[in-house]
């Protein structure tokens, strides 16, 4: 579910399409067809809003695998970062950071998502670029 959660956050931010989620769900369900959560999500696959609610209410944020979630999120963010200017990326990342579960917001590398709200960092473009690139390569 961690990989799906990463997709969901990017869909909600308008940075990815529902197709990404559908492909990831199909991949995960094919690998583990007896998982109750994935089965339920397959049944909901024609309603992305209900799927998002299901994922966000059924994942145990305190026990989730942060490595899988973080690696998936950063992998998906890399091409987005490369496709837009740093200011636009920063605005999206701050909004993404605001939507994260509270227990994730203060952890690295997720805390870096909030840097667009830090004028000390945003006024130094090189420092901001370095911070985002550090975040994106955190799991490499």
């Amino acid at each position: 579910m961690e990989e799906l959660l990463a997709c969901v956050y990017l869909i909600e931010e308008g940075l990815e399409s529902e197709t990404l989620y559908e492909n990831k769900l199909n991949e995960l369900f094919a690998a583990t067809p007896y998982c109750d959560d994935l089965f339920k999500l397959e049944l909901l696959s024609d309603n992305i809003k209900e799927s998002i609610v299901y994922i966000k209410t059924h994942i145990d944020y305190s026990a989730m695998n942060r490595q899988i979630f973080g690696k998936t999120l950063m992998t998906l963010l890399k091409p987005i970062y490369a496709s837009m200017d740093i200011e636009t990326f920063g605005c999206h990342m701050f909004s993404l950071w605001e939507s994260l579960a509270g227990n994730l917001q203060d952890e690295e590398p997720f805390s870096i998502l909030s840097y667009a709200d830090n004028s000390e960092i945003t006024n130094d473009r090189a420092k901001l670029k370095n911070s985002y690139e550090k975040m994106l390569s955190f799991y490499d």
Side-chain angles (χ1 to χ4, degrees), residues 2-15:
E2 289 86 348
E3 292 168 285
L4 295 175
L5 182 63
C7 295
V8 160
Y9 278 122
L10 295 181
I11 290 167
E12 288 184 317
E13 187 55 38
L15 296 170

Side-chain angles (χ1 to χ4, degrees), residues 72-87:
T72 302
L73 185 63
M74 296 310 146
T75 298
L76 295 172
L77 283 174
K78 284 177 185 177
I80 294 167
Y81 173 74
S83 73
M84 61 180 60
D85 64 80
I86 200 160
E87 290 82 11

Side-chain angles (χ1 to χ4, degrees), residues 39-51:
F39 179 72
K40 175 69 174 178
L41 289 168
E42 279 288 327
L43 294 175
L44 293 172
S45 63
D46 62 336
N47 190 329
I48 190 67
K49 288 181 182 182
E50 283 186 36
S51 298

Side-chain angles (χ1 to χ4, degrees), residues 37-117:
D37 285 328
L38 294 177
F39 179 72
K40 175 69 174 178
L41 289 168
E42 279 288 327
L43 294 175
L44 293 172
S45 63
D46 62 336
N47 190 329
I48 190 67
K49 288 181 182 182
E50 283 186 36
S51 298
I52 289 171
V53 169
Y54 184 88
I55 291 167
K56 286 188 161 186
T57 57
H58 284 81
I59 196 158
D60 181 353
Y61 289 94
S62 62
M64 70 183 259
N65 186 324
R66 285 162 168 67
Q67 184 78 16
I68 291 173
F69 171 75
K71 186 172 182 151
T72 302
L73 185 63
M74 296 310 146
T75 298
L76 295 172
L77 283 174
K78 284 177 185 177
I80 294 167
Y81 173 74
S83 73
M84 61 180 60
D85 64 80
I86 200 160
E87 290 82 11
T88 304
F89 182 78
C91 289
H92 282 290
M93 293 308 98
F94 184 73
S95 179
L96 176 61
W97 176 79
E98 287 183 310
S99 68
L100 289 177
N103 63 340
L104 292 173
Q105 288 180 332
D106 296 328
E107 295 177 21
E108 279 209 30
F110 313 114
S111 60
I112 295 172
L113 295 168
S114 71
Y115 282 14
D117 193 43

Side-chain angles (χ1 to χ4, degrees), residues 21-48:
Y21 167 81
E22 292 164 6
N23 291 340
K24 182 53 73 177
L25 174 59
N26 291 337
E27 174 190 320
L28 293 171
F29 187 65
T32 52
Y34 300 107
C35 175
D36 291 339
D37 285 328
L38 294 177
F39 179 72
K40 175 69 174 178
L41 289 168
E42 279 288 327
L43 294 175
L44 293 172
S45 63
D46 62 336
N47 190 329
I48 190 67

